[in-house]
Structure formats: structure tokens, C-alpha cells
């Protein structure tokens, strides 16, 4: 799938378990072109984000997605 999408400029999104608790996730992330880290506002601690980024030091990090952000209207 990855090869086919790469040839067609497609996008493949892979939802992996927490990098810090699963060796599988780090291995799978290393096979991807880049990753986006998902963090929950008010729940995910800054130290955990640092640890995740450190474990992914050999992987291109496209960005961080913040979920459960309250909208101010």
C-alpha cells in the first residue's frame, strides 16, 4: 500500500499506539515517511511529548496535533 500511494502522491494515515508504551509503534513509525504526534490538551504532559520526540529522533516529525481544544466564541 505504501509503495502504491507513494507513486500516486497519495497519503496514508496510520494510527499507532502510544510510542512510549509499545515497541511496535516505534518500529512502525520508522517505516513511514513522517509522523504526526497527537496530544490531548490538559492530559498529555510536556515530559511525555519530549520523551516521544526523543524516541522518534530518527523519524521525520511533520507536526503535533492537539485534540480536545476548547473553542472560544
Amino acid at each position: 500500500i505504501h509503495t502504491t500511494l507513494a507513486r500516486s502522491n497519495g497519503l496514508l494515515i496510520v494510527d499507532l499506539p502510544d510510542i512510549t508504551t509499545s515497541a511496535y509503534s516505534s518500529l512502525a513509525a520508522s517505516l513511514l515517511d513522517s509522523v504526526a504526534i497527537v496530544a490531548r490538551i490538559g492530559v498529555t504532559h510536556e515530559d511525555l511529548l519530549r520523551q516521544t520526540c526523543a524516541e522518534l529522533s530518527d523519524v521525520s516529525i511533520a507536526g503535533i496535533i492537539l485534540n480536545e481544544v476548547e473553542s472560544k466564541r
Side-chain angles (χ1 to χ4, degrees):
I1 293 174
H2 183 264
T3 304
T4 301
L5 285 172
R7 277 190 254 133
S8 67
N9 293 323
L11 175 66
L12 174 65
I13 297 175
V14 180
D15 184 14
L16 298 171
D18 184 343
I19 292 290
T20 60
T21 61
S22 172
Y24 162 78
S25 295
S26 294
L27 173 63
S30 71
L31 301 173
L32 303 173
D33 294 330
S34 65
V35 298
I37 298 169
V38 179
R40 188 180 307 169
I41 293 290
V43 175
T44 306
H45 295 276
E46 194 173 320
D47 290 339
L48 183 59
L49 282 175
R50 280 194 193 98
Q51 181 182 355
T52 300
C53 290
E55 289 190 30
L56 294 173
S57 63
D58 294 336
V59 177
S60 172
I61 299 175
I64 297 176
I65 299 169
L66 301 175
N67 65 9
E68 296 192 23
V69 176
E70 290 188 27
S71 175
K72 294 183 180 180
R73 291 185 180 205

